């Protein structure tokens, strides 16, 4: 067991193993589905980086609904609750607001959100795993509404957590906020990652390099890549007014090196140290970034 595991992992909490994945949740026919549902590719994962006023207005509403579902997930994140119950909460809130869960049926993903617990960096599949006091739960929610997506996530503390686990959560949130502040028109997107990685390092953490933020609008991922590390001279797209994209750094207590479970989705830290992540969808204005995934 690494030092990072010792100070973050709750007493008696073993390294995670896959739980039982329950049945896929149904969506009524009145709710419009993205084109990619249950297909082998997402044709809509492309498109312009700069959005029209009409698209921006729709992304704003989809983002608001995603934020509502994420808020409900956080309120439900308690000891004794399964990650599949969190999926049910997210699913119901999205449907109540007329939105389709963007992850449901996306390239084989069978749940309505991602639930990434403790050493899971991202893309955890909700299942029968029961949360325990001291766990960290990241919930990633994307809403598809009126032809566009809004994407957000947050890490929630389950019960009382170790002070250094709390510091990891605070550090991940601050890393995101500093990256957001750096996202100003005229700068290259790699500036965002430089700010995030340097801040994480100052706190003794690492920023995961292989999973990035992305452009989001009519496409779930429209091709714009937002790195969370100092990637210069790569990823040199210039930040432009009316872009909509996410910043979503994954910050690890130990090494940012990762491996994937056999399910093809769940990404875990190789050393099994804890990870925390936060994400907002934002609009670039002439004054800088405006957060859209807010209630």
């Amino acid at each position: 067991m690494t030092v990072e595991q010792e100070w973050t992992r709750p007493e008696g909490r073993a390294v995670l193993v896959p739980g039982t994945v329950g049945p896929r949740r149904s969506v009524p026919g009145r709710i419009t589905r993205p084109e990619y549902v249950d297909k082998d590719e997402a044709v809509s994962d492309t498109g312009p980086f700069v959005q029209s006023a009409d698209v921006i207005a729709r992304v704003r509403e989809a983002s608001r609904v995603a934020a509502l579902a994420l808020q409900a997930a956080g309120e439900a994140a308690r000891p004794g609750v399964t990650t599949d119950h969190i999926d049910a909460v997210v699913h119901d809130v999205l449907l109540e607001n007329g939105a389709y869960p963007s992850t449901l049926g996306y390239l084989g993903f069978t749940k309505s959100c991602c639930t990434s617990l403790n050493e899971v960096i991202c893309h955890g599949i909700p299942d029968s795993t029961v949360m325990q006091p001291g766990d960290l739960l990241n919930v990633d929610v994307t809403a598809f509404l009126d032809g566009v997506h809004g994407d957000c996530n947050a890490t929630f503390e389950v019960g009382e957590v170790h002070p250094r686990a709390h510091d990891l959560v605070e550090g991940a949130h601050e890393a995101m906020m500093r990256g957001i502040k750096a996202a100003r028109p005229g700068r290259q997107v790699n500036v965002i990652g430089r700010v995030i990685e340097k801040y994480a390092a100052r706190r003794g953490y690492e920023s995961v390099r292989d999973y990035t933020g992305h452009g989001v609008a009519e496409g779930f991922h429209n091709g714009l890549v937002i790195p969370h590390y100092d990637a210069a001279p790569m990823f040199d797209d210039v930040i432009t007014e009316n872009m909509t994209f996410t910043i979503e750094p994954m910050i690890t207590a130990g090494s940012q090196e990762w491996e994937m479970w056999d399910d093809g989705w769940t990404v875990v830290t190789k050393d099994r140290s804890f990870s925390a992540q936060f994400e907002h969808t934002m609009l670039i204005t002439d004054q800088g970034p405006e957060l859209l995934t807010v209630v």
Side-chain angles (χ1 to χ4, degrees):
M1 182 177 287
T2 67
V3 172
E4 290 79 12
Q5 286 175 297
E6 289 174 353
W7 66 251
T8 53
R9 191 172 301 280
E11 184 177 356
R13 167 56 100 180
V15 170
L16 293 173
V17 296
T20 300
V21 178
R24 176 171 168 165
R25 294 186 160 84
S26 62
V27 178
R30 61 181 172 79
I31 293 180
T32 303
R33 291 149 170 75
E35 56 78 25
Y36 55 70
V37 172
D38 295 330
K39 296 179 181 178
D40 293 333
E41 63 176 336
V43 176
S44 57
D45 270 0
T46 183
F49 296 170
V50 177
Q51 310 304 326
S52 67
D54 171 66
V55 169
I56 289 168
R58 288 184 280 138
V59 171
R60 187 184 301 278
E61 180 60 12
S63 296
R64 183 190 69 83
V65 171
L68 281 174
L70 182 62
Q71 181 182 64
E75 292 169 355
R78 301 184 302 272
V81 170
T82 66
T83 56
D84 191 60
H85 176 71
I86 300 299
D87 187 72
V89 169
V90 168
H91 185 88
D92 289 348
V93 172
L94 293 178
L95 266 57
E96 286 167 5
N97 286 273
Y100 185 92
S102 298
T103 60
L104 189 62
Y106 180 76
L107 303 181
F109 199 87
T110 60
K111 289 295 181 177
S112 298
C113 67
C114 299
T115 52
S116 300
L117 197 64
N118 298 341
E119 65 264 29
V120 179
I121 293 172
C122 59
H123 303 160
I125 301 174
D127 62 18
S128 61
T129 302
V130 177
M131 289 182 285
Q132 299 179 13
D135 283 343
L136 299 181
L137 174 71
N138 178 270
V139 182
D140 195 337
V141 178
T142 311
F144 179 74
L145 182 65
D146 199 14
V148 299
H149 303 264
D151 191 1
C152 56
N153 76 55
T155 298
F156 303 105
E157 299 177 5
V158 181
E160 184 175 352
V161 305
H162 192 286
R164 291 187 68 183
H166 175 73
D167 184 79
L168 174 65
V169 173
E170 284 195 335
H173 184 266
E174 181 62 19
M176 176 192 66
M177 295 306 297
R178 291 186 181 219
I180 289 169
K181 186 177 180 180
R184 304 193 67 83
R187 294 177 174 175
Q188 294 182 353
V189 297
N190 56 39
V191 171
I192 297 168
R194 183 179 311 133
V195 168
I196 288 169
E197 187 173 52
K198 286 185 176 180
Y199 177 75
R202 286 203 303 272
R203 291 188 74 141
Y205 303 132
E206 293 193 5
S207 180
V208 175
R209 293 184 165 212
D210 293 336
Y211 292 89
T212 69
H214 54 91
V216 60
E218 293 172 302
F220 193 171
H221 311 86
N222 70 9
L224 177 64
V225 174
I226 309 297
H228 301 130
Y229 68 100
D230 189 354
M234 298 183 296
F235 305 117
D236 59 354
D237 292 288
V238 175
I239 300 169
T240 303
E241 187 177 351
N242 294 332
M243 280 182 168
T244 52
F245 58 80
T246 73
I247 294 177
E248 49 184 299
M250 289 138 271
I251 306 300
T252 59
S255 171
Q256 61 93 28
E257 294 185 4
W258 57 270
E259 55 192 23
M260 186 176 289
W261 283 358
D262 291 342
D263 60 26
W265 284 103
T266 306
V267 179
V268 297
T269 54
K270 196 169 184 178
D271 62 7
R272 300 303 188 267
S273 59
F274 276 23
S275 177
Q277 181 188 15
F278 287 85
E279 173 187 23
H280 273 298
T281 292
M282 70 204 65
L283 166 69
I284 300 300
T285 74
D286 59 353
Q287 299 299 310
E290 176 192 351
L291 301 185
L292 301 183
T293 38
V294 293
V295 177

